[in-house]
Amino acid sequence: MADRRLKGNEVVLEGYVYDLDAFSKVHPGGADALRVFGGSDATTHYYMLHPHKEIRVKALEPFRLRKAEAPVHDLCCERVMPDTIEQKGSGSAHGDLVFKLNTPAFQDLKSRVQKAIPYQFATSEWYVKACLIMILNVSMEYLIVRDGPSLLKASVLGLSMALIGLCIQHDANHGAVSKSGWVNRFWGYTQDWIGGSSLLWRHHHVLMHHADTNVNGDDPDITGDLIRFNKLTNWKGHHKWQALYTWFLLPLLPFRWHFSEIFDLINMKHLDRSISPMAQTDARIALFLRQMPFFFMLRFYALPLYFYPSFFTLFCHFVCLAVGGSYLGFNFVISHNFEGARSVLDSTDRSKHEKRDWSFDQVETSSTVGGRVLGYLHGGLNYQIEHHLFPRISHVHYHKLAPVVRQWCLDHGLKYTYYPTVFHNVLSTYRYLNA
């Protein structure tokens, strides 16, 4: 059969190709939520982000173009999908790995969750916290420009930037703040306010990481030679020290977001995967928010250095970013890297290929630590199991979601990894990295 590459305005759902550009104009959640999926198979994401127990075929029918041919090239990831494209209820082509999607077990969990949490989006608690965090952030920037930098102000500013990343933009860019797309987009731009990119974040986390958590070769959070997060990754000599040096790399994360991602936006390629051409406008907006006067680069870097040109000002910049990067990176490192974390095999070795229930893998590749108080400070990301099963539920509901998920895991014989304190989680992560 002739080989066909998906176009940038096309998407595959359950083995059929749809006109994503046309559908995005009538999508209830807004067009912005869909652009990142252009040119890829989004079946996994559909079930991950919607409470539906089946794809809304009638609503999508006017936008169906054809049955997906095999093999089909995924425009965004430059990888060939498997020859057999799994149908509803049995799996989805995702790179070369096939997951079982929308299984009776996951449908059962969705039913339980809908009863426990009828309204899944942000509440007044979320909005009050978001406004207070933004006020703290803007106040610190203003005080630094007005009175000069200090280590205290730099540290508080870094903490406020991390809280924006954890508590505000994270929910927004998952579409968990509101049913209205423009509300999510508005709050999602807080990622650009702190020097990141909401577009690249959605490309990295929603499109890649959440769909393929701990999948060797597909999850961008476990790829790279510097740290060996997955036992299936090739071992190198320096990895013997990674349990120690990993923690010291976390402060450097914001420097990558602030500078190297500019080239990703220009080249429309991030983490060796092409960004959907449907997101060209989003990329231009992201570059505008970084570069134009009084936006991030000039607001955060240039103004303090202009008024207070000294090495101390530069050092305060470093302290600010180190505090923010450490707080953000720390939360993500301990979430999927712990003793007993499942390392998911890609299918480069077809003899070892196995189909797994996607929802089961989300449980066994994630951990949960602490409770509601920690969740308030960490944007609910201490409830990583709950978040990976239902990323479009606002984090303010995770404390109600946790007991439902725990009981479901017990009913289905799944290991629910829980740590009573952050210390226990960190110790487990240290041992995991050391092993």
Side-chain angles (χ1 to χ4, degrees):
M1 186 177 292
D3 175 55
R4 178 176 291 193
R5 181 180 296 277
L6 287 176
K7 297 178 182 178
N9 65 335
E10 296 177 343
V11 68
V12 173
L13 293 173
E14 293 285 16
Y16 288 93
V17 181
Y18 294 88
D19 185 337
L20 186 64
D21 187 38
F23 177 65
S24 68
K25 294 177 173 60
V26 298
H27 181 239
D32 304 325
L34 298 181
R35 293 190 185 113
V36 74
F37 300 113
S40 64
D41 186 321
T43 310
T44 302
H45 308 86
Y46 183 95
Y47 288 118
M48 174 177 73
L49 298 172
H50 295 89
H52 318 329
K53 293 182 182 178
E54 60 183 25
I55 284 181
R56 300 293 171 85
V57 177
K58 289 185 179 180
L60 288 167
E61 182 64 33
F63 310 100
R64 183 184 291 183
L65 299 176
R66 63 185 184 275
K67 186 173 176 61
E69 296 181 5
V72 177
H73 281 270
D74 186 327
L75 173 70
C76 291
C77 66
E78 308 292 343
R79 288 181 283 122
V80 182
M81 297 182 194
D83 292 342
T84 302
I85 297 178
E86 299 291 317
Q87 299 302 312
K88 181 172 63 177
S90 59
S92 169
H94 211 70
D96 283 335
L97 181 72
V98 178
F99 283 116
K100 295 178 184 177
L101 300 177
N102 197 35
T103 60
F106 192 37
Q107 291 185 26
D108 171 45
L109 178 58
K110 283 187 174 183
S111 296
R112 300 188 195 191
V113 170
Q114 285 173 338
K115 290 178 182 178
I117 308 172
Y119 182 76
Q120 69 185 63
F121 299 104
T123 62
S124 57
E125 173 190 334
W126 188 95
Y127 286 101
V128 168
K129 179 167 67 170
C131 290
L132 289 175
I133 292 172
M134 291 304 301
I135 290 171
L136 176 64
N137 180 267
V138 173
S139 299
M140 284 300 105
E141 286 197 15
Y142 170 73
L143 290 175
I144 287 172
V145 172
R146 190 190 72 175
D147 302 325
S150 71
L151 294 180
L152 177 61
K153 282 182 279 190
S155 299
V156 174
L157 179 59
L159 177 62
S160 71
M161 293 171 74
L163 291 175
I164 289 173
L166 292 171
C167 300
I168 303 177
Q169 74 83 23
H170 190 269
D171 268 16
N173 284 312
H174 271 301
V177 175
S178 171
K179 289 182 181 180
S180 300
W182 73 267
V183 176
N184 292 313
R185 188 173 179 83
F186 172 81
W187 288 105
Y189 277 134
T190 57
Q191 173 72 356
D192 299 82
W193 174 264
I194 60 175
S197 163
S198 55
L199 168 61
L200 296 183
W201 191 94
R202 283 182 281 124
H203 178 91
H204 181 127
H205 288 276
V206 180
L207 182 65
M208 299 175 71
H209 167 64
H210 268 266
D212 290 314
T213 312
N214 278 17
V215 177
N216 185 47
D218 288 340
D219 182 355
D221 283 2
I222 62 170
T223 58
D225 294 329
L226 192 56
I227 304 173
R228 187 173 184 249
F229 284 124
N230 192 306
K231 65 182 180 183
L232 303 172
T233 304
N234 290 333
W235 185 87
K236 296 186 177 180
H238 60 268
H239 291 144
K240 69 175 68 176
W241 307 107
Q242 69 175 17
L244 296 175
Y245 68 69
T246 295
W247 312 97
F248 295 96
L249 296 176
L250 300 180
L252 304 178
L253 287 174
F255 293 97
R256 178 181 180 279
W257 301 330
H258 290 177
F259 298 103
S260 69
E261 287 190 353
I262 293 175
F263 299 99
D264 292 346
L265 291 167
I266 293 172
N267 297 323
M268 290 296 287
K269 192 168 186 177
H270 182 58
L271 300 168
D272 296 323
R273 180 167 178 173
S274 298
I275 299 170
S276 169
M278 286 183 65
Q280 282 278 4
T281 300
D282 299 65
R284 294 190 186 102
I285 292 173
L287 286 169
F288 173 85
L289 291 176
R290 284 170 180 265
Q291 303 296 340
M292 294 301 290
F294 303 108
F295 286 99
F296 184 73
M297 287 298 182
L298 292 181
R299 190 193 82 236
F300 182 80
Y301 285 105
L303 282 178
L305 285 169
Y306 174 78
F307 289 110
Y308 308 99
S310 67
F311 284 109
F312 180 72
T313 301
L314 283 174
F315 181 68
C316 286
H317 273 114
F318 175 80
V319 170
C320 171
L321 297 179
V323 169
S326 297
Y327 193 55
L328 281 170
F330 175 82
N331 280 278
F332 289 112
V333 166
I334 65 175
S335 297
H336 303 290
N337 306 286
F338 52 89
E339 294 171 296
R342 177 172 168 75
S343 298
V344 186
L345 181 69
D346 64 13
S347 58
T348 52
D349 183 348
R350 292 299 180 99
S351 65
K352 296 180 180 179
H353 184 67
E354 62 174 319
K355 271 186 214 175
R356 291 268 305 173
D357 186 318
W358 178 86
S359 62
F360 289 2
D361 263 18
Q362 297 311 299
V363 172
E364 295 180 351
T365 57
S366 307
S367 65
T368 289
V369 55
R372 186 176 185 181
V373 174
L374 188 62
Y376 192 82
L377 298 174
H378 287 193
L381 291 182
N382 56 311
Y383 293 102
Q384 199 68 206
I385 295 174
E386 290 73 17
H387 171 63
H388 265 256
L389 287 167
F390 298 98
R392 202 166 170 235
I393 293 180
S394 175
H395 75 265
V396 296
H397 301 295
Y398 287 170
H399 68 282
K400 295 180 288 185
L401 182 58
V404 177
V405 172
R406 281 198 192 194
Q407 184 58 51
W408 177 78
C409 290
L410 186 63
D411 294 343
H412 290 274
L414 293 173
K415 180 184 178 183
Y416 181 100
T417 302
Y418 173 76
Y419 297 99
T421 68
V422 173
F423 173 77
H424 289 90
N425 199 165
V426 170
L427 185 60
S428 181
T429 297
Y430 172 84
R431 290 170 176 166
Y432 175 81
L433 292 173
N434 196 49

